[in-house]
């Protein structure tokens, strides 16, 4: 049955119905809960996806994915719905998906910031960065330009107004495009350009850009390297001050089985990893190598380059961002955190090598013409609209046109949505399958003398990553080791060993070199053995539990014979 289609952007009420429908239709695999409320009291839904018959999610290594913390970034929600759909539709059919849900769990938050998305999805949309909470709280009534759908057509484009000292002119070869006026050029017809919107308090001469009334950026509100407002705008009054971010922090920090996670955003068509604020040299080498291997698989499966924010994705070469989800996940929890920026309109238009942020600072008119041709062709002309006169309520006569910022640049237009978001599910399932996984190799009770047994348990990590997941987790002492625990019946007694034995951390296969010639030894450091000697009565049952916060919990029982 079809619960969801990937051809439109649902508002909150429809999204809520879709999510509950999944839980209702697939009760063995999907459960839904509310992990907090947004500023406007909408539910922040979280779905847990795992085969509940092979154990609860909390006892399995888990992968986190969230979406749409930024208000206008709508495609991310659909990427999560696609993963959800892929998992439930593939369970019992696709062996990898089946194994994944039998042995791992997913925690999915399809819309972290439902208030902001609701504004972007309104009939007459409005753009805020993140939360709809006014911030700073004493922000004055805006004076100057404020973005919004001023002509009421449901799209957010650009406004241009004639100005003899404007920086733009009509492109001589393509009258729909604007190009920069030459440095020494005078005497032509020039324009100023603003995003579609109102200009409050316009005096007929000056137009300032009003500071945003809703000035928060929820992806600067996470605790790692969080900075005050005067250093980084939008970070909020203190780390985790915003209810949406607090809900995420609370859930992730209280679920130590989460070993890795992705925050979905738009746009750029790129897989981003930490650090945001410092060079790759600051990584423990193994963590950098592992990030690179995980990212390379992401590139192979999605076509998106995988890069460091610090080295290749900075808004300004002299500035860094801090307080983002992925940096918090890596720095404070020692897990692999990612930011995936969905959609790259330039790449769609045949500009494959565009350099993300730098492109907006400097690119050729040829690129603009390619993009315009792409709009005319692939978007049936809906991406870029020619300029049409509009009688602006504040400015008088202007023209509205240019790119549709929500559904051409910011997000895929609905007819290209499925093709874009369906590329991620395979990588996320693969990523979940590389997580550490605790299993029993052996559990035996051997009679040593009448009434005395030696209990032996051997546990192993069958995952690719070590139980620590990262070297960072070792350095910050984030995770205890494997714990093996004996549950003895009444009357039985331990002769040697402790009821609870610490078996340490177990390695995976992630750090193996690419050839066995240089360091060929493969010690059994993925295994641990615990022996106990007990006194008991034949026929009694001994319970054994082995657990690791990240690698999961396994249980077995032995009958004394
Ligand atoms: Zn974003």
């Amino acid at each position: 049955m079809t619960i969801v289609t990937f051809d439109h952007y649902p508002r909150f009420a429809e999204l809520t119905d879709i999510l509950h429908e999944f839980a209702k239709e697939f009760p063995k695999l999907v459960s839904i809960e509310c992990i907090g409320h947004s500023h406007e009291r909408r539910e922040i839904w979280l779905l847990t996806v795992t085969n509940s018959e092979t154990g609860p999610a909390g006892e399995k290594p888990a992968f986190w994915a969230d979406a749409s913390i930024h208000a206008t970034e709508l495609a991310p929600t659909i990427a999560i719905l696609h993963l959800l759909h892929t998992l439930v539709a593939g369970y019992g059919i696709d062996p990898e998906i089946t194994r994944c849900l039998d042995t791992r769990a997913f925690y999915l938050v399809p819309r972290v910031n439902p208030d902001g998305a609701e504004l972007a999805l309104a009939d007459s949309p409005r753009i805020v960065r993140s939360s709809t909470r006014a911030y700073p709280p004493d922000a004055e009534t805006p004076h100057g330009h404020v973005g919004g759908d001023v002509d009421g057509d449901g799209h957010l484009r650009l406004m241009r107004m004639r100005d003899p000292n404007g920086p733009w002119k009509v492109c001589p070869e393509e009258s729909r495009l604007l190009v920069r006026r030459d440095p020494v050029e005078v005497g032509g017809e020039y324009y100023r350009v603003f995003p579609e919107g109102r200009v409050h308090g316009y005096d007929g001469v000056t137009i300032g850009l009003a500071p945003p009334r809703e000035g928060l950026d929820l992806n600067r509100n996470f605790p790692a390297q969080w900075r005050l407002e005067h250093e980084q705008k939008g970070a909020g009054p203190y780390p985790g001050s915003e209810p949406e971010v607090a809900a995420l922090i609370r859930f992730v920090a209280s679920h130590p089985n989460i070993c890795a996670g992705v925050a979905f955003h738009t746009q750029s068509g790129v897989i981003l990893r930490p650090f945001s604020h410092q060079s790759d040299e600051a990584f423990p080498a193994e963590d950098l190598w592992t990030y690179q291997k995980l990212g390379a698989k992401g590139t192979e499966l999605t076509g998106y380059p995988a890069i460091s924010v610090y080295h290749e994705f900075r808004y300004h070469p002299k500035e860094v961002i801090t307080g983002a989800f992925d940096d918090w996940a890596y720095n404070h929890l020692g897990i692999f955190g990612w930011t995936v920026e969905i959609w790259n309109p330039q790449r769609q238009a045949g500009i494959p090598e565009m350099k993300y942020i730098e492109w907006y600072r400097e690119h050729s008119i040829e690129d603009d013409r390619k993009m315009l041709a792409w709009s005319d062709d692939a978007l049936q002309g809906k991406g870029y609209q020619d300029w049409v006169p509009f009688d602006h309520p504040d400015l008088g006569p202007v023209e509205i046109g240019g790119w549709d910022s929500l559904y051409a640049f910011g997000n895929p237009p609905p007819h290209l949505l499925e093709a874009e978001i369906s590329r991620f599910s395979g990588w996320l399932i693969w990523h979940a399958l590389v997580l550490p996984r605790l299993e029993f190799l052996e559990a035996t009770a051997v009679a040593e003398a009448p009434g005395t047994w030696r209990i032996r348990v051997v546990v192993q990590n069958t995952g690719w990553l070590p139980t620590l997941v990262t070297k960072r987790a070792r350095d910050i002492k984030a995770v205890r080791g494997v714990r093996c625990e004996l549950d003895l019946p009444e009357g039985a007694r331990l002769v040697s060993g402790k009821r609870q034995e610490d078996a340490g951390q177990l390695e995976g296969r992630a750090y193996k070199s690419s050839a066995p010639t240089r360091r060929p030894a493969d010690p059994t450091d993925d295994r641990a053995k615990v022996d106990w000697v007990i006194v008991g009565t034949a026929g009694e049952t001994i319970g054994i539990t082995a657990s690791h916060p990240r690698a999961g919990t396994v249980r077995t029982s032995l009958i004394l014979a």
Side-chain angles (χ1 to χ4, degrees):
M1 70 161 290
T2 307
I3 296 176
V4 63
T5 55
F6 309 108
D7 55 2
H8 70 291
Y9 293 103
R11 292 184 189 175
F12 184 70
E14 186 191 351
L15 177 66
T16 298
D17 288 346
I18 291 169
L19 300 180
H20 282 84
E21 198 59 34
F22 270 105
K24 204 176 112 205
E25 201 62 33
F26 300 94
K28 185 176 97 170
L29 301 177
V30 181
S31 62
I32 185 167
E33 66 190 290
C34 167
I35 59 163
H37 289 85
S38 66
H39 170 64
E40 294 178 28
R41 305 294 300 161
R42 289 186 178 88
E43 290 88 353
I44 301 168
W45 297 118
L46 178 138
L47 293 102
T48 301
V49 191
T50 191
N51 177 10
S52 56
E53 290 173 0
T54 55
E59 297 190 353
K60 292 169 180 166
F63 192 90
W64 169 271
D66 72 60
S68 300
I69 198 169
H70 287 143
T72 62
E73 300 174 5
L74 305 169
T77 296
I78 317 303
I80 300 243
L81 292 179
H82 188 274
L83 172 62
L84 181 59
H85 170 83
T86 303
L87 290 171
V88 299
Y91 186 81
I93 297 166
D94 179 307
E96 298 256 291
I97 292 174
T98 307
R99 182 158 63 94
C100 195
L101 292 187
D102 284 347
T103 60
R104 269 82 171 173
F106 288 87
Y107 298 116
L108 309 177
V109 179
R111 196 168 279 169
V112 174
N113 171 25
D115 303 348
E118 213 64 355
L119 276 190
L121 289 165
D123 289 337
S124 191
R126 194 159 77 79
I127 286 182
V128 298
R129 174 60 170 158
S130 272
S131 166
T132 59
R133 182 165 91 85
Y135 188 83
D138 58 351
E140 289 163 21
T141 309
H143 188 89
H145 174 272
V146 173
D149 175 25
V150 79
D151 64 358
D153 70 346
H155 295 270
L156 296 166
R157 298 184 185 271
L158 295 171
M159 311 187 294
R160 71 179 187 186
M161 55 193 294
R162 288 269 179 87
D163 188 314
N165 203 34
W168 301 95
K169 65 179 180 182
V170 171
C171 172
E173 297 91 33
E174 169 52 76
S175 65
R176 287 177 291 171
L177 288 176
L178 293 172
V179 290
R180 281 179 295 195
R181 178 181 161 194
D182 291 338
V184 297
E185 182 186 335
V186 291
E189 263 181 10
Y190 306 118
Y191 294 91
R192 271 177 210 276
V193 176
F194 294 93
E196 198 177 331
R198 298 290 301 264
V199 178
H200 298 293
Y202 182 52
D203 59 6
V205 182
T206 51
I207 304 174
L209 302 176
R213 176 111 179 84
E214 298 89 356
L216 285 164
D217 184 336
L218 297 182
N219 203 32
R220 306 289 181 271
N221 191 229
F222 287 89
Q225 288 80 40
W226 178 90
R227 287 176 296 164
L228 286 162
E229 188 75 12
H230 76 281
E231 288 183 70
Q232 176 166 260
K233 286 207 180 317
Y238 53 89
S241 59
E242 304 312 303
E244 298 84 356
V245 175
L248 262 52
I249 291 173
R250 204 163 47 231
F251 189 91
V252 175
S254 63
H255 289 75
N257 58 323
I258 296 173
C259 300
V262 166
F264 278 109
H265 290 243
T266 66
Q267 98 278 356
S268 284
V270 70
I271 297 171
L272 300 174
R273 61 165 172 82
F275 297 106
S276 299
H277 70 296
Q278 61 185 354
S279 157
D280 278 352
E281 286 170 28
F283 273 112
E286 290 82 358
D287 288 356
L288 176 60
W289 295 332
T290 308
Y291 251 128
Q292 287 168 336
K293 286 175 191 172
L294 298 168
K297 190 67 178 181
T299 302
E300 179 195 323
L301 295 177
T302 68
Y304 281 21
I307 60 172
S308 142
V309 173
Y310 180 85
H311 292 286
E312 295 190 61
F313 202 80
R314 259 190 285 175
Y315 294 101
H316 189 282
K318 297 289 184 189
E319 289 168 15
V320 295
I321 61 165
T322 62
F325 167 81
D326 54 359
D327 286 293
W328 172 67
Y330 179 75
N331 273 314
H332 283 196
L333 307 174
I335 65 177
F336 287 108
W338 300 91
T339 298
V340 172
E341 299 279 358
I342 300 173
W343 184 240
N344 183 314
Q346 293 89 345
R347 207 179 287 152
Q348 296 282 324
I351 310 166
E353 294 303 320
M354 67 83 71
K355 275 292 167 214
Y356 321 113
I357 293 162
E358 284 86 343
W359 188 88
Y360 292 90
R361 196 167 51 77
E362 207 60 61
H363 66 265
S364 71
I365 185 68
E366 277 318 302
D367 284 2
D368 285 322
R369 298 185 73 171
K370 276 187 191 166
M371 294 208 59
L372 192 57
W374 168 69
S375 168
D376 290 345
D377 179 24
L379 309 188
Q380 294 96 41
K382 290 184 199 146
Y384 192 98
Q385 181 187 284
D386 201 1
W387 301 91
V388 291
F390 178 71
D391 190 18
H392 193 278
D394 308 311
L395 300 171
V398 300
E399 290 167 279
I400 290 180
W403 284 104
D404 182 327
S405 74
L406 272 178
Y407 300 111
F409 252 89
N411 296 280
H415 74 286
L416 296 179
L417 179 57
E418 182 166 3
E420 192 63 23
I421 51 92
S422 60
R423 61 179 82 211
F424 308 109
S425 300
W427 181 49
L428 302 186
I429 291 162
W430 178 88
H431 204 317
L433 280 169
V434 306
L435 304 181
R437 159 84 180 159
L438 199 62
E439 290 184 35
F440 285 116
L441 181 64
E442 183 188 328
T444 50
V446 177
E448 292 211 319
T452 303
W453 284 266
R454 175 172 295 272
I455 311 288
R456 169 162 295 177
V457 166
V458 181
V459 287
Q460 59 180 351
N461 170 23
T462 60
W464 182 74
L465 287 171
T467 53
L468 275 166
V469 177
T470 63
K471 296 291 186 192
R472 175 72 184 161
R474 173 202 63 191
D475 295 346
I476 61 175
K477 299 184 169 51
V479 202
R480 69 158 167 85
V482 174
R483 185 173 286 164
C484 295
E485 213 174 327
L486 209 51
D487 186 19
L488 294 177
E490 195 103 2
R493 168 169 72 80
L494 208 50
V495 176
S496 87
K498 299 191 297 277
R499 183 168 293 224
Q500 201 176 72
E501 290 282 355
D502 193 347
Q505 302 291 349
L506 302 178
E507 288 298 330
R509 306 187 305 282
Y511 306 147
K512 297 290 176 187
S513 62
S514 65
T517 49
R518 204 168 106 79
R519 281 195 290 168
D522 290 323
T524 54
D525 49 12
D526 53 327
R527 253 177 224 170
K529 182 184 73 169
V530 176
D531 280 326
W532 292 279
V533 177
I534 64 159
V535 170
T537 310
E540 284 181 329
T541 303
I542 309 293
I544 297 163
T545 304
S547 70
H548 183 278
R550 292 193 170 170
T553 300
V554 284
R555 292 186 181 80
T556 191
S557 57
L558 301 169
I559 296 169
L560 299 179

